[in-house]
Amino acid sequence: MDPILSQGYGYGFALGLGAAFAILMVAISKLMSKHAGQVQNSERFSTASRNVGSGLIASSTISAWTWPATLLVSGTWAYEYGIMGSWMYGVGGTVQVTLFVFLALNIKKYAPGAHTVCETFFIRFGKSGHLLYLCYCAATNIIISSLLLLGGSQGFAASTGMHVVAASFLLPLNVIVYTALGGLKATFISDWVHTVIIYLILIVSVYTTYCSSSLIGSPGRMWELLRDIQEVYPVALGKSYLSFKSRDMILLSWSVTLGGMSSVLGDPGYSQRAIASDSKSVFLGYTMGGLCWWVIPWALGSSAGLACRALLTNPVSVTFPNELSSADINASMPVIYGLAAILGKSGAAAGLLMLFMSVTSATSAELIAFSSITTYDIYRAYFNPNATGKQLVRASHISVVAFGIFMGVLSVVFNYIGVTVGWLLSFLGILLNPEVGAVVLCLFWPGMTKFGLLIGAPLGTITGIVCWLGSTYVYADHVVDKNTVMTTEATFIGNIVSLFSGLIYIIVFSLLTPKKESFDLTLLRGAIKVADDVDYEEEKALVLTEADEKVLAHQSYLSLAVNSVVLLGVYVVVTCALYGWGGDFSKGSFTAFMVIMMIWLIVAALLIILFPLWQGRNTIKLIFLSIVGKSKLDRKIEYIENASTSSQLEAEEIEQSKLDKKDATNVTVSGL
Ligand SMILES: NC(N)=O
């Protein structure tokens, strides 16, 4: 079958839209530098000056967490398993983000001056502990990046016929340009733009499907179509498209969620956002991001994914009169085909645009994160401990460009050796999950020792791999090959064993080799130095006041409450209850389920579009006034005067706190 769109769409998006985006982002960075005094220095490049508000943290979390897989796999799960598919994808991914909030809060509490979370390992465990964690962290960064490009390039190739090699190199091109020039702050702004576009397309998709389409047009009609299609093409792994009775779906979702713990807790991109966040904004930013992200896979799967299934017997279906082939399923095409059935060719193009947005925005998060670890954990830690701000910015630029090219190469290699997104998603956690235990214990448990880390984490990986392959042997009729290692039970066991055995090993080996005195986590605070180009605003953000500590403690309790509801309440109890009940949703309950989804989508879109604009209104006003009227000099003087009069006391507090820290800190941290 020919691709649904012509190659012109593929090259047009990758080159034309990509270039427009790069120019827009570079222009915004220049405006901020010229009119809002946000000149690019090393701290701004890697940490966005550590004062980003909750609105932008939320939109950038959504942007970084909306992978091509989020859009394509959630739709495929909906197509294959029915209503529970996209719901399980959404809640599983949200759990990972809400759990990360605990770690994010401790990063702000104990390491407000960090540029990367790896730096805390250097301080606690020296070079060997640092290098071990750095390997895990960099591997996560590399695998996630290739997963993004692999998913994006395969999606573009399948939808447009564009060559997969061209897609692998052209898709990240614009991101390399604006990330290298604008740093983390530019990625926050581009993340917001990307997220807005994704929500707008999603709203069109959902409201057309459930409100205006002549083919479906209401939740009740969708329910009837799904009931009828069950008679023609019964669900393969479950009871029906309208029930939650699929053991395979639950195991698959839990496997991806547990496997994906390392892709949030161990991915430097997410900790970098915690570092960039203003202390008061951590909980709200990540929680709002997680809850607003939830509806993206849920809504897309429930509209395009279910429509693809429900309309299979209608001539508008792309594959009419057949089901989708296994090649279509492997290429995760249900979302694009569903959009095409509902909205015609423009629907498929809108799907491709969403895909482009998800690849580029998530890629920028990975690029800037990798540049931070190479700059601070390799270049400054081991090659140039006294690097100036200028040298650090140059190292970051080189790293962004080099890593962008490397990602393209890796995606091509994976394409040629036949590695799929699904395979990488399942394998990632088995290999890397022990880093979750390592980073959590490093920031929460003073009793963790270097020996515990050095032995426990690698042993966790080995145990996970052995259990994964052993379970494949048991569950796949004694055949262990490229296909059978994807057996759901085997990947589930591999992921869970890797996650928990790593944690247990580190604890046990630490208890076997206790230190005379446990580590004082507050020592992390003053032990990481900033470069010579730090400005006043950034120095202010390095200091954790008593009020900040109280706010962070309060946020931990809120986080506990949110996780109890989302993880235990929804993901475990509600899912198991619906599975145990095993019935089909009635027309009324299906309608209620979809109406909740539609309301949630609108609220999420409004929050993510408007809240960052509201929080940034003063900066927007400053830039606007500077462009149209008052001279830049006037504005700058006014800005500096305001800062110095209102913050004189704060400045003194900062100086005093720095002196206190110097006295308190007797840790030698060469290179940091
Ligand atoms: N980001 C995910 N898990 O879709």
Side-chain angles (χ1 to χ4, degrees), residues 58 94 97-98 101 282-292 558-559 562:
T94 302
V97 177
T98 53
V101 178
V282 179
F283 169 77
L284 189 58
Y286 279 98
T287 306
M288 194 161 64
L291 296 179
C292 292
L558 293 177
S559 191
V562 168

Side-chain angles (χ1 to χ4, degrees), residues 570-626:
V570 181
Y571 200 38
V572 178
V573 176
V574 173
T575 304
C576 291
L578 286 172
Y579 176 81
W581 166 58
D584 281 3
F585 273 40
S586 66
K587 195 188 261 193
S589 45
F590 180 83
T591 302
F593 195 53
M594 292 306 156
V595 169
I596 292 170
M597 177 269 287
M598 287 191 272
I599 295 172
W600 192 326
L601 176 60
I602 293 292
V603 173
L606 286 175
L607 266 179
I608 295 304
I609 294 170
L610 299 180
F611 197 42
L613 287 178
W614 170 253
Q615 288 189 324
R617 63 194 181 285
N618 287 336
T619 308
I620 296 170
K621 194 170 145 196
L622 183 73
I623 292 173
F624 181 74
L625 286 177
S626 176

Side-chain angles (χ1 to χ4, degrees), residues 20 83 229 278 327 407 418 425 534 613 651 656 672:
I83 53 168
I229 206 74
D278 167 16
M407 275 166 75
L425 263 181
V534 64
L613 287 178
Q656 186 55 47
L672 292 174

Side-chain angles (χ1 to χ4, degrees), residues 62 64-71 73 89 92-94 96-97 147-148 256 260 263-264 270 293 297 425:
I62 293 175
W65 198 222
T66 304
W67 300 345
T70 312
L71 307 177
V73 176
Y89 196 100
T94 302
Q96 292 164 317
V97 177
L147 191 119
L148 296 172
V256 169
S263 60
V264 182
Y270 299 91
W293 177 89
L425 263 181

Side-chain angles (χ1 to χ4, degrees), residues 296-314:
I296 293 178
W298 181 25
L300 192 62
S302 300
S303 54
L306 287 185
C308 184
R309 169 62 69 184
L311 296 173
L312 277 177
T313 51
N314 189 310

